[in-house]
Amino acid sequence: MDCPGLCEALANGGVNLGLAQFISLFIGVVLVSGVPLVTVIFLIWIERKVAARIQDRIGPNRVGPFGLLQTFADLIKLLIKEDITPTAADRLLYNAAPLVSFASVVLIWAIVPFTPYHYGVDLEIGALYFVAVASLGTLAIMTAGWASNNKYALLGAFRVVALLVSYEIPLVFALMVPVMLAGTMSMVDIIYAQSSMWFVFMSPLAMILFFISSQAETGRAPFDLIEAESELVAGFNIEYSGMKFGMFFAAEFLHVFTNGILLTILFFGGWLFPLWNEPLIAFAWLGLKASVLYFISLWIRNTVPRMRIDQVMWFNWFRLVPISILNLLAVAFLVKVMQELGLAPRDLAQATLGEVLPMTIILFLSNVAIAIGLLGQVRSVGRESRLATETAQTATAVGD
Amino acid sequence: MDILNNWAFVGIFAVMAPVFPALPIVIAWLLRPHKPNVLKSQTYECGVETVGDTWVQFRVQYYIYGLIFLVFDVEMVLLFPWAVAYNRLDLFAFAAGFLFIFLLADGLIYAWRKDVLAWK
Amino acid sequence: MEFNFITVAFIVFSLITLGGAIGVVTCINLFRGTIWLMVSLFGVAGLMVLLSAEFLAAVQVLVYIGAIAILFTFAVMLTRSITSDKMRFTRVWVNVISAGILFVLFALGVIYPVWVANAATHFPVTDAGLATTTDLGVALVSGSQFVLPFEVAGLLLTAAMIGAIVIARDADDEGN
Amino acid sequence: MVPLWVFLMVSAALFCIGVFGVLARRNGVAVLMSVELMLNAALMNIVAFWRYNNPTEVNGLAFAAFVFVVAAAEAAVGLAIIISVYRNRHSIIPEEADTLKG
């Protein structure tokens, strides 16, 4: 979004052309990044309110109407709180880590298309940009853990980084499915490719894989080994206090909502409203879909118990990674065969509902088949291990 | 120069993004009390004084996760252009992509069999 | 070389690249060295954007900062007591001079006579008709172009993965 | 646009810094980092030549993509060897790992 009218107006007003371009780009940046920064203030309130309701509490209700100003009260508290930097810490990297952590989440918003006409940039490599920027966050966590110069922090950072890199594999394989169906990495074009059918109906499995692994990427329950506050000390951010800790915290809250937005764009048709594409309605529609996904994420966070690290790793390497590879291959194979047979259009953006319907049905059924096969396999493995334990128990009982 | 115009936006965004979190931290630095003392600035160790080096010996397990991730990351890098161009290609392209993924899956299966992926 | 937005960006990214590289080869603390390496490679990614290779720039960030950096930090932690090592450099001045001579050779022997003298014969530089990521995807799997290197790359990655697991795992067994 | 030879100069400087690192550092991990710098200098050259001489052909992009594969394989195996040598000999100085004889 570089406000074309503004640039021309400035240039006509006698401002140097380069400077005019810079000013219009700068204003665009401030507008685009304003959205996540305003959102995060309310996300913290929503998160606490929802968590409270699920746990049968009321939640913040003292500051302002419905406790809406609670976040500002928290902010003031963090602002005037003493901030300790341990003497043993590596000062430069210690202070840089929270900045990079927050920036890595805000940077994702540069490619988020809010409406058909309002977005930061429409990069040709949008999907890859998202993965690349998200990987900066991993490095920030590693740096935070190391720079604190604390055993717990370093160990926590190692576990988290191992978890994050592991879950990035199914994330990217799932991301590849919409990229392949749409034939582009640009976020805007991926949305237009869904004009007659959302990708979630073509590959629900990819959506679920993306959802699970992005939940893990944000370090939310059931994968919240980043800061299992009731068990470990606090993980990589143990030495942080005051506003710097607040930044890690805010980055996490914002990341969850950002994932909701990305999921909406990649699988739920973004701002595509069935009837008309008025910018305001498109924006509200995108926000509504993202909020529903965000709420589901909170719901899972507050109801599912935490997994152990070995279970988390096992779940990733022995379930998610093979399924994501299998899913990608299945979708690729079926799409290609149907395209060769003339059952599927080659350009989804131009296709009508009737043209994409056979393809959708077959892809959906293939996904269901994979899921059923998987569940059957899980059940038989579970039964085998249960039988093995029972046999072992009987053997010991007889031996006694 | 459309590409560069887009990336100029990303560049300004990348410069601005760390400024937003830096701002409250700087404001906090101005407002908050500064009263460090030796005890406060010690490394947090659950009440007991720090013993030994922070650089405890780490398990090679972490390295193996990082290694497999690196290999898959590079694989995805080569698969992304394949996925983007997929609608224009024929069945041979699927075969080529399948063989490529199959080779990498072999490595994954090897890692399974050697039991290096389970957290011990 | 007229002075504009691109030139400024080029100078900034070149300084980031070279400064980071100097940080890598002179740092005492290896974890900081890894961070310097990332800074330097990030600068290279910026230069790639200036060369309109946005796909490669994203790949550069993804592969180097996302994966190789993590691998390096893990390796730094696994081989501990690195910071306390006294033996950091060998024959510093001899090596500085030989690297300097190499640079002068590059500059005077190859780049100046060949690429500055023939600058006028270069193709006009525009973005029109630039090869895209889609073209790359088509080329990677079409029989007449890069399908063989593509598969060999897969084989190489698998071999590297298996080999590295075997080597690192042996070490682990002996460690226990 | 910046002329080609300026890009080549920057990558030559990057390469020479890498060469210095490989020759002067005594730490295996640091040597590998310097090798990564050299590889990146080569990568930058490939991209620069592609952009200035043959931007409509895809060869330069494909070649650069394969350089990433080689860089990844090199880093993975190199670091594994360093870890292994460190575990067995408690040293990460390449010159001291000299027991491999034919």
Side-chain angles (χ1 to χ4, degrees):
Chain A
M1 183 154 49
D2 60 344
C3 315
L6 180 73
C7 178
E8 279 148 28
L10 282 173
N12 292 337
V15 184
N16 178 312
L17 184 65
L19 192 66
Q21 274 175 343
F22 178 78
I23 290 171
S24 71
L25 281 175
F26 186 80
I27 290 174
V29 166
V30 172
L31 286 177
V32 171
S33 48
V35 178
L37 294 176
V38 172
T39 318
V40 71
I41 292 174
F42 293 100
L43 288 181
I44 296 172
W45 176 78
I46 294 171
E47 171 108 19
R48 298 180 63 171
K49 210 70 181 166
V50 169
R53 288 294 173 184
I54 289 176
Q55 294 160 359
D56 206 10
R57 294 184 285 121
I58 296 174
N61 65 342
R62 292 293 160 136
V63 195
F66 309 107
L68 258 172
L69 299 179
Q70 182 65 43
T71 312
F72 295 97
D74 289 344
L75 192 69
I76 292 167
K77 180 247 187 187
L78 283 175
L79 280 178
I80 56 173
K81 190 171 154 64
E82 187 178 359
D83 190 348
I84 300 162
T85 308
T87 27
D90 184 327
R91 276 188 165 272
L92 177 69
L93 295 179
Y94 178 85
N95 291 323
L99 304 186
V100 177
S101 180
F102 192 81
S104 75
V105 181
V106 174
L107 271 174
I108 297 176
W109 288 72
I111 53 157
V112 168
F114 300 109
T115 75
Y117 318 105
H118 301 95
Y119 45 81
V121 280
D122 180 25
L123 292 181
E124 195 204 314
I125 51 150
L128 209 56
Y129 171 86
F130 147 63
V131 186
V133 165
S135 66
L136 285 178
T138 316
L139 197 65
I141 288 174
M142 193 77 209
T143 310
W146 182 82
S148 305
N149 207 358
N150 177 318
K151 282 174 198 160
Y152 300 111
L154 192 54
L155 272 173
F158 262 61
R159 294 174 67 153
V160 172
V161 170
L163 185 143
L164 291 184
V165 298
S166 303
Y167 275 81
E168 206 165 315
I169 297 173
L171 181 87
V172 180
F173 272 119
L175 175 68
M176 224 178 269
V177 170
V179 168
M180 173 186 277
L181 290 170
T184 171
M185 286 192 269
S186 134
M187 289 295 181
V188 175
D189 291 345
I190 285 179
I191 291 179
Y192 277 123
Q194 301 176 67
S195 24
S196 41
M197 184 61 75
W198 292 355
F199 286 155
V200 64
F201 297 117
M202 296 196 192
S203 185
L205 210 52
M207 193 278 287
I208 293 168
L209 286 166
F210 192 91
F211 185 80
I212 293 176
S213 32
S214 59
Q215 185 88 354
E217 289 283 309
T218 49
R220 282 315 183 84
F223 310 104
D224 62 343
L225 299 149
I226 291 185
E227 38 179 323
E229 59 266 19
S230 51
E231 296 166 16
L232 305 173
V233 273
F236 71 94
N237 54 16
I238 175 172
E239 290 286 4
Y240 283 89
S241 53
M243 208 63 211
K244 285 174 205 153
F245 171 75
M247 279 307 143
F248 279 117
F249 204 60
E252 185 192 318
F253 281 80
L254 188 57
H255 202 168
V256 181
F257 189 71
T258 310
N259 279 332
I261 288 262
L262 284 171
L263 209 59
T264 310
I265 293 167
L266 292 170
F267 292 99
F268 292 91
W271 30 251
L272 287 173
F273 194 68
L275 300 176
W276 67 101
N277 272 336
E278 199 66 28
L280 206 60
I281 292 174
F283 184 60
W285 186 227
L286 175 78
L288 181 72
K289 283 192 265 193
S291 303
V292 170
L293 290 164
Y294 175 67
F295 176 73
I296 294 174
S297 169
L298 290 191
W299 193 4
I300 292 173
R301 186 203 179 191
N302 286 299
T303 43
V304 180
R306 180 178 302 136
M307 288 160 83
R308 283 202 318 264
I309 181 105
D310 60 325
Q311 291 170 331
V312 170
M313 285 299 184
W314 182 88
F315 182 62
N316 180 62
W317 289 109
F318 291 85
R319 288 283 175 266
L320 292 186
V321 171
I323 297 168
S324 60
I325 294 176
L326 200 64
N327 183 44
L328 179 72
L329 284 175
V331 170
F333 180 69
L334 289 173
V335 165
K336 194 43 66 192
V337 167
M338 279 186 291
Q339 277 175 354
E340 296 287 311
L341 293 176
L343 286 171
R346 279 179 189 259
D347 186 4
L348 287 175
Q350 309 292 331
T352 60
L353 184 62
E355 282 171 335
V356 294
L357 208 56
M359 165 183 177
T360 310
I361 292 170
I362 292 179
L363 286 179
F364 187 83
L365 288 180
S366 79
N367 267 251
V368 170
I370 294 177
I372 290 176
L374 186 80
L375 286 178
Q377 200 257 347
V378 168
R379 206 174 58 172
S380 69
V381 167
R383 181 181 293 149
E384 267 169 34
S385 74
R386 204 169 53 239
L387 280 176
T389 349
E390 275 168 16
T391 326
Q393 277 167 356
T394 332
T396 8
V398 170
D400 286 341
Chain B
M1 288 288 131
D2 196 31
I3 293 180
L4 287 180
N5 203 30
N6 273 348
W7 282 93
F9 181 90
V10 176
I12 298 172
F13 208 108
V15 173
M16 288 299 288
V19 172
F20 298 124
L23 220 56
I25 290 178
V26 169
I27 295 171
W29 184 73
L30 294 173
L31 291 179
R32 69 171 200 235
H34 297 265
K35 288 179 195 128
N37 63 35
V38 181
L39 277 177
K40 251 190 227 169
S41 324
Q42 268 181 358
T43 303
Y44 176 75
E45 294 270 353
C46 294
V48 194
E49 212 172 300
T50 310
V51 179
D53 201 352
T54 308
W55 295 56
V56 283
Q57 186 90 48
F58 288 100
R59 304 176 45 75
V60 99
Q61 186 92 52
Y62 294 110
Y63 178 78
I64 289 179
Y65 285 125
L67 161 79
I68 297 175
F69 169 68
L70 169 64
V71 168
F72 272 91
D73 215 28
V74 177
E75 180 195 3
M76 288 158 190
V77 161
L78 288 182
L79 277 177
F80 260 107
W82 172 76
V84 169
Y86 197 68
N87 285 336
R88 306 189 186 178
L89 301 167
D90 50 11
L91 209 54
F92 177 74
F94 170 75
F98 177 78
L99 184 60
F100 186 72
I101 295 175
F102 179 75
L103 283 170
L104 266 291
D106 265 2
L108 188 66
I109 291 167
Y110 174 83
W112 279 3
R113 298 276 292 273
K114 287 285 170 187
D115 200 28
V116 292
L117 288 175
W119 187 277
K120 282 173 279 197
Chain C
M1 185 154 57
E2 78 273 35
F3 202 76
N4 56 20
F5 208 51
I6 296 173
T7 320
V8 174
F10 174 80
I11 292 170
V12 169
F13 283 127
S14 305
L15 288 179
I16 291 176
T17 306
L18 297 181
I22 289 172
V24 172
V25 294
T26 56
C27 68
I28 309 298
N29 181 326
L30 270 188
F31 187 90
R32 280 200 163 197
T34 318
I35 300 291
W36 279 121
L37 181 67
M38 291 315 112
V39 171
S40 177
L41 302 184
F42 186 81
V44 174
L47 290 173
M48 283 178 177
V49 168
L50 289 182
L51 290 166
S52 305
E54 45 178 359
F55 174 72
L56 291 178
V59 168
Q60 172 92 0
V61 174
L62 188 65
V63 169
Y64 276 105
I65 298 182
I68 291 186
I70 304 296
L71 211 59
F72 267 107
T73 50
F74 281 168
V76 167
M77 301 295 170
L78 283 163
T79 54
R80 71 169 179 167
S81 71
I82 291 165
T83 40
S84 57
D85 274 355
K86 290 288 172 236
M87 55 299 162
R88 291 163 199 140
F89 297 100
T90 50
R91 303 181 301 274
V92 176
W93 290 110
V94 177
N95 287 322
V96 167
I97 291 167
S98 43
I101 290 173
L102 188 63
F103 179 71
V104 172
L105 279 180
F106 275 144
L108 290 181
V110 185
I111 296 171
Y112 187 77
V114 179
W115 297 106
V116 178
N118 298 337
T121 63
H122 286 162
F123 288 81
V125 175
T126 55
D127 271 354
L130 207 63
T132 60
T133 317
T134 317
D135 296 337
L136 178 61
V138 173
L140 279 181
V141 290
S142 70
S144 58
Q145 278 178 295
F146 294 104
V147 72
L148 193 64
F150 181 65
E151 304 301 340
V152 171
L155 198 62
L156 174 67
L157 284 174
T158 315
M161 181 157 119
I162 293 177
I165 288 175
V166 168
I167 296 169
R169 207 166 152 267
D170 282 351
D172 195 32
D173 288 345
E174 301 215 2
N176 293 336
Chain D
M1 197 69 192
V2 185
L4 173 61
W5 66 270
V6 184
F7 273 100
L8 298 186
M9 282 291 183
V10 172
S11 77
L14 186 61
F15 188 85
C16 292
I17 293 172
V19 167
F20 168 76
V22 171
L23 292 176
R25 293 304 294 254
R26 296 193 66 192
N27 184 314
V29 180
V31 169
L32 266 185
M33 286 184 193
S34 308
V35 171
E36 293 293 339
L37 290 180
M38 290 161 71
L39 264 173
N40 261 270
L43 191 62
M44 221 171 91
N45 261 5
I46 291 171
V47 179
F49 278 123
W50 163 78
R51 182 68 184 83
Y52 281 86
N53 286 344
N54 228 343
T56 51
E57 292 288 318
V58 81
N59 301 17
L61 283 179
F63 208 90
F66 293 125
V67 171
F68 281 111
V69 175
V70 176
E74 178 255 351
V77 178
L79 287 174
I81 289 173
I82 288 173
I83 290 172
S84 176
V85 168
Y86 173 77
R87 285 297 178 88
N88 291 325
R89 301 181 55 88
H90 293 276
S91 154
I92 47 171
I93 302 169
E95 293 131 50
E96 289 181 7
D98 56 357
T99 48
L100 188 66
K101 290 187 177 129

